[in-house]
C-alpha cells in the first residue's frame, strides 16, 4: 500500500533525478525546493500529467524524503535510491509523509494559526481512538474527543479566557457547529490525502496502513517509556557510557528506547558528535547505535567517512548497510585503515577493559608477527599509539615481547625509528 500510494511521487522524483542534473536550472530555483514553471511544464509533458499533478506529486516526494532540499538545490533522497530494493525505505517514506500530514493539505486560511496548532497537537489522540475503534467512527464523536483534548491542552497551559464568554449552547445540533468543526474537517481531509484514513458520509475510518502507522507510534511511545537502563533522558555521550557495561542485546534495547524518544536527525547528529570525542569506546558504541538507526543515518555517515577519526567506522557501517556480511566488511578497509582501527579499539580496551582483554586484542591484529604490527602501528599515526603500546607492554606476560613493545612506544614518543 505504501509503495502504490507513493508511486506517482516516486515517478516524478525519478524523472527529476534523470532530467535535472547538477548545474542545470529547474528544481529549487526559488530557494524553497519547489519546481519552476518551466520545469513543471516540462515534467507534465514528459510524464503525461497536468502541471497541478506534477506539483502535487513533487510536494509529496519532498514530504516523503524521496527528494531532499539543500539550500536552493533539490536532490534525490536515500529513499528514492533504495526504492526498488528496500521495502523498508518505502515504508519509512510513507511514515514521513504521515508525520507531515498537516503540510500535505492546505489549512483553512480563515483560522488562527494557534487554533490550527492546537488541532495538530490534539490529533494523535483522535487517531489513537480511531485505531482502537477498528472501524468507522462518526465525525460528531471525533469532534467531541477533539474538543476535550484541546480543552486539556489549554488547561495544561493554564489559559484563562478573558472577556465575556458566550452562554452554553443547549442545542446538540448547534453544539456540533463549533469553531473546531472546520479544523477537524481539514485534518481528516489532510490525513485522507496521505492515505491514512478514508473520510466521507459523516464518518472516518483508518486504512490498514494508517492503523499500522498509529500502532507503530504507540509502540514507540511504550518503548521510550520503558527504557531498560534508564538512560532515555541522557544526551548521547552519557547514554553510551551507560550502555558500556550492558550485554549487546540489552544495549540495543537501550539504543532503541533512546532513539524512539527523539527525532532521528538530531539523534544521528548527537551520536556522531559523541563519536568525534576522545573516548574510543564511545566511538565504537556510537556506530553500534547508528546500526540500530539503520538507513536514515546513511547520508550523515557517508558525509563523515572522510574524517580520519571516523573513517574506518563509517566505511564498515556503509559496507554492512550495503549488504556486505559483517564478518567480511573489514575487507573494505585498507591495511592502514585497519591498523588505525586496531589501535583505536586497543585504546578503548586500555581505558575501559582489563589487561587480559588487551593481550587478547593483540591476537586480532592483521599483521602476522608482532614486529610487523609494531612497524605499521608506528606508521599509522594514531594519537593514542604511545598509551596503547605502554598499556600492552605492561599487560603482556612475555618479558621479551613486552620489552619490544616498550621500545616501540619509546620510539613513537621520541620520534625515533
Amino acid at each position: 500500500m505504501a509503495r502504490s500510494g507513493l508511486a506517482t511521487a516516486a515517478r516524478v522524483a525519478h524523472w527529476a533525478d534523470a532530467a535535472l542534473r547538477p548545474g542545470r536550472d529547474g528544481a529549487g530555483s526559488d530557494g524553497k525546493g519547489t519546481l519552476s514553471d518551466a520545469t513543471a511544464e516540462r515534467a507534465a509533458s514528459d510524464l503525461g500529467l497536468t502541471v497541478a499533478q506534477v506539483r502535487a506529486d513533487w510536494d509529496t516526494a519532498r514530504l516523503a524524503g524521496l527528494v531532499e532540499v539543500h539550500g536552493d538545490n533539490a536532490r534525490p533522497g536515500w529513499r528514492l535510491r533504495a526504492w526498488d530494493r528496500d521495502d523498508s525505505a518505502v515504508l519509512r517514506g510513507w511514515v514521513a509523509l504521515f508525520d507531515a500530514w498537516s503540510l500535505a493539505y492546505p489549512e483553512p486560511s480563515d483560522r488562527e494559526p494557534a487554533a490550527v496548532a492546537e488541532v495538530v497537537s490534539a490529533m494523535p489522540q483522535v487517531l489513537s481512538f480511531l485505531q482502537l475503534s477498528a472501524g468507522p467512527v462518526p465525525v460528531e464523536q471525533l469532534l467531541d474527543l477533539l474538543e476535550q483534548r484541546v480543552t486539556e491542552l489549554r488547561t495544561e497551559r493554564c489559559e484563562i479566557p478573558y472577556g465575556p464568554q458566550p452562554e452554553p449552547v443547549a442545542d446538540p445540533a448547534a453544539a456540533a457547529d463549533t469553531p473546531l468543526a472546520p479544523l477537524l474537517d481539514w485534518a481528516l481531509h489532510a490525513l485522507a490525502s496521505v492515505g491514512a484514513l478514508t473520510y466521507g458520509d459523516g464518518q472516518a475510518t483508518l486504512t490498514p496502513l494508517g492503523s499500522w502507522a498509529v500502532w507503530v507510534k504507540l509502540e514507540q511511545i511504550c518503548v521510550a517509556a520503558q527504557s531498560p537502563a534508564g538512560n532515555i533522558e541522557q544526551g548521547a555521550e552519557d547514554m553510551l557510557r551507560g550502555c558500556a557495561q550492558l550485554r549487546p542485546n540489552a544495549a540495543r534495547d537501550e539504543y532503541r528506547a533512546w532513539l524512539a524518544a527523539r527525532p532521528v536527525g538530531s539523534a544521528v547528529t548527537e551520536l556522531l558528535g559523541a563519536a568525534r570525542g576522545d573516548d574510543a569506546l564511545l566511538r565504537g558504541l556510537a556506530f553500534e547505535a547508528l546500526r540500530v538507526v539503520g538507513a536514515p543515518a546513511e547520508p550523515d555517515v557517508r558525509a563523515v567517512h572522510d574524517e580520519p577519526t571516523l573513517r574506518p567506522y563509517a566505511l564498515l557501517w556503509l559496507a554492512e548497510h550495503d549488504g556486505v556480511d559483517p564478518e567480511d566488511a573489514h575487507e573494505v578497509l585498507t591495511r592502514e585503515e585497519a591498523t588505525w582501527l586496531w589501535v583505536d579499539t586497543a585504546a578503548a580496551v586500555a581505558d575501559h577493559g582489563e589487561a587480559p582483554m588487551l593481550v587478547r586484542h593483540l591476537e586480532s591484529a592483521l599483521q602476522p608477527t608482532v614486529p610487523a604490527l609494531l612497524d605499521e602501528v608506528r606508521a599509522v599515526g594514531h594519537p593514542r599509539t604511545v598509551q596503547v603500546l605502554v598499556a600492552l607492554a605492561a599487560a603482556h606476560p612475555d618479558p621479551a615481547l613486552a620489552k619490544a613493545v616498550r621500545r616501540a612506544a619509546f620510539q613513537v614518543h621520541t620520534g625515533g625509528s
Side-chain angles (χ1 to χ4, degrees):
M1 289 184 67
R3 190 178 290 278
S4 62
L6 291 174
T8 56
R11 186 181 177 213
V12 169
H14 278 302
W15 176 88
D17 184 23
L20 306 176
R21 297 296 181 185
R24 298 184 183 180
D25 294 331
S29 58
D30 64 353
K32 298 179 181 178
T34 56
L35 295 175
S36 67
D37 291 341
T39 301
E41 291 172 3
R42 178 182 166 195
S45 175
D46 289 351
L47 298 174
L49 302 171
T50 66
V51 170
Q53 287 173 323
V54 168
R55 291 196 180 280
D57 289 336
W58 178 259
D59 287 341
T60 297
R62 290 172 57 201
L63 293 176
L66 301 177
V67 172
E68 297 176 353
V69 177
H70 299 265
D72 61 353
N73 295 312
R75 67 188 187 197
W78 71 266
R79 290 171 184 142
L80 186 68
R81 296 294 190 212
W83 182 264
D84 293 324
R85 60 178 171 83
D86 189 351
D87 288 342
S88 69
V90 179
L91 274 177
R92 287 178 184 273
W94 186 84
V95 170
L97 180 63
F98 171 74
D99 287 340
W101 66 265
S102 62
L103 304 177
Y105 191 84
E107 65 187 53
S109 58
D110 59 344
R111 301 292 159 175
E112 289 292 330
V116 174
E118 287 176 337
V119 169
V120 172
S121 298
M123 282 306 292
Q125 186 165 331
V126 175
L127 290 169
S128 297
F129 182 76
L130 280 166
Q131 204 267 349
L132 291 171
S133 299
V137 177
V139 172
E140 291 82 0
Q141 193 172 357
L142 296 177
L143 182 58
D144 287 341
L145 179 62
L146 179 65
E147 290 172 341
Q148 293 173 23
R149 182 57 184 149
V150 169
T151 299
E152 290 172 358
L153 291 172
R154 291 172 179 171
T155 301
E156 290 169 4
R157 295 197 304 267
C158 299
E159 287 190 359
I160 301 174
Y162 291 92
Q165 300 301 307
E167 293 294 324
V169 180
D171 181 1
D177 187 19
T178 67
L180 290 180
L183 288 173
L184 176 62
D185 180 70
W186 159 72
L188 294 176
H189 272 110
L191 287 159
S193 74
V194 302
L197 53 79
T198 58
Y199 177 38
D201 298 326
Q203 60 187 20
T205 310
L206 283 181
T207 63
L209 196 56
S211 181
W212 169 81
V214 174
W215 180 84
V216 168
K217 296 295 180 183
L218 291 172
E219 183 183 53
Q220 288 176 345
I221 293 171
C222 292
V223 169
Q226 297 172 9
S227 171
N231 293 298
I232 188 173
E233 300 296 335
Q234 303 294 329
E237 185 171 328
D238 289 336
M239 181 274 293
L240 293 172
R241 291 191 191 283
C243 293
Q245 302 303 319
L246 298 178
R247 293 182 179 275
N249 286 341
R252 281 190 288 272
D253 288 342
E254 193 72 2
Y255 301 150
R256 290 189 186 97
W258 186 85
L259 291 165
R262 45 194 40 82
V264 66
S266 61
V268 171
T269 299
E270 272 199 68
L271 289 170
L272 288 174
R276 290 189 178 96
D278 295 331
D279 194 327
L281 177 65
L282 296 192
R283 192 155 28 252
L285 293 176
F287 276 86
E288 286 301 316
L290 289 168
R291 286 177 173 84
V292 175
V293 176
E298 179 186 2
D300 295 276
V301 174
R302 199 172 293 280
V304 304
H305 87 289
D306 284 333
E307 296 184 26
T309 304
L310 303 184
R311 180 173 175 79
Y313 294 94
L315 290 176
L316 290 175
W317 190 100
L318 291 167
E320 293 175 25
H321 173 69
D322 290 338
V324 176
D325 190 301
E327 293 185 0
D328 300 326
H330 66 277
E331 295 177 3
V332 304
L333 302 180
T334 65
R335 184 68 165 252
E336 183 178 1
E337 290 163 350
T339 301
W340 195 99
L341 182 60
W342 184 91
V343 178
D344 205 50
T345 306
V349 175
D351 289 343
H352 301 278
E354 299 176 352
M357 291 179 62
L358 191 58
V359 174
R360 287 197 298 273
H361 184 62
L362 181 63
E363 300 172 359
S364 69
L366 293 176
Q367 293 76 5
T369 65
V370 171
L373 170 65
L374 295 177
D375 286 344
E376 294 188 31
V377 164
R378 286 199 299 265
V380 81
H382 192 289
R384 294 291 304 281
T385 297
V386 172
Q387 292 92 332
V388 164
L389 293 178
V390 169
L392 181 58
H396 207 284
D398 184 335
L401 189 147
K403 181 179 179 181
V405 174
R406 277 194 299 272
R407 184 184 303 114
F410 179 77
Q411 290 170 341
V412 173
H413 178 62
T414 59
S417 58

